Amino acid sequence: MSGGPAGADAGAWAGDEAGGAAEVLRLLAERGETLAVAESLTGGLVAAEVTSVPGASRVFRGSVTAYATELKREVLGVDGELLAARGAVDGEVALQMAAGVRELLGADWGLATTGVAGPDPQDGQAVGTVFVAVVGPGSRLRSEGNVAGLRLNGIRTEIRRESVRSVLGLLLRQLSGERVRNERAQDTEQNGGT
């Protein structure tokens, strides 16, 4: 589990959302891998952003908008004791949502968003508290993956849009990082290095 940006830095961290979605889809298509999305506070905005890119159907399997807490448990398989103890706005909940949608929809990669967009706090969490998560092909446990905790400012619409940018940015960084590591490993093998 890794931390992420806070406040205004989150936008620079994630990059442009439309360009981010197109680049995510391009990298996944190159790899022959698929994507599924579980959303709470973003209410379908991540799926809308991904499907706004022409050709998304080659990669995008689908999404689940689990706005109600019980749907996170019943549909996505988030641990009920975890939800009772911490509430729906939690990093581990985000990871389990991503793992659950990945499994449910048969995708290689799962993304998830959960948080408080406002106008009021929820489960003891302040407005702007958001968790985004990515679970990929190498993750065998529901708690394996990459999660970022965000503290976002602004009105409800801004918090939701920034959450979209952030989750796409998190996946893009992970895909780009894996690609760079793989290229370095191949270069080392081809050149007889160690």
Side-chain angles (χ1 to χ4, degrees):
M1 187 160 105
S2 69
D9 294 336
W13 169 72
D16 175 64
E17 80 196 60
E23 184 64 7
V24 160
L25 292 173
R26 186 187 69 75
L27 289 172
L28 288 172
E30 277 182 9
R31 297 160 63 120
E33 295 175 340
T34 56
L35 175 66
V37 177
E39 301 186 64
S40 187
L41 87 146
T42 49
L45 292 175
V46 177
E49 193 61 42
V50 168
T51 59
S52 73
V53 178
S57 60
R58 290 188 305 252
V59 169
F60 188 62
R61 298 275 303 154
S63 66
V64 172
T65 300
Y67 215 64
T69 299
E70 65 268 14
L71 291 179
K72 292 174 180 67
R73 183 184 75 248
E74 294 168 10
V75 176
L76 297 173
V78 176
D79 183 275
E81 291 180 13
L82 174 66
L83 288 166
R86 298 188 194 170
V89 182
D90 179 78
E92 182 65 26
V93 169
L95 279 172
Q96 289 190 20
M97 287 173 63
V101 78
R102 177 179 166 243
E103 182 179 314
L104 181 68
L105 300 183
D108 297 298
W109 293 88
L111 296 182
T113 64
T114 187
V116 185
D120 300 314
Q122 176 188 334
D123 294 337
Q125 299 285 351
V127 172
T129 302
V130 175
F131 293 92
V132 296
V134 174
V135 174
S139 304
R140 292 186 247 319
L141 303 174
R142 292 184 68 80
S143 60
E144 286 183 334
N146 196 355
V147 65
L150 311 173
R151 299 287 183 256
L152 303 176
N153 298 314
I155 61 172
R156 180 177 173 81
T157 305
E158 293 167 337
I159 290 169
R160 294 175 76 213
R161 294 308 307 178
E162 191 58 42
S163 299
V164 172
R165 281 191 288 273
S166 294
V167 76
L168 290 173
L170 187 64
L171 177 56
L172 184 56
R173 282 201 346 263
Q174 190 158 339
L175 290 171
S176 298
E178 285 186 8
R179 185 174 172 184
V180 168
R181 283 193 300 275
N182 289 340
E183 288 171 356
R184 285 184 188 149
Q186 290 171 358
D187 184 53
T188 299
E189 289 173 12
Q190 291 170 356
N191 294 315
T194 54

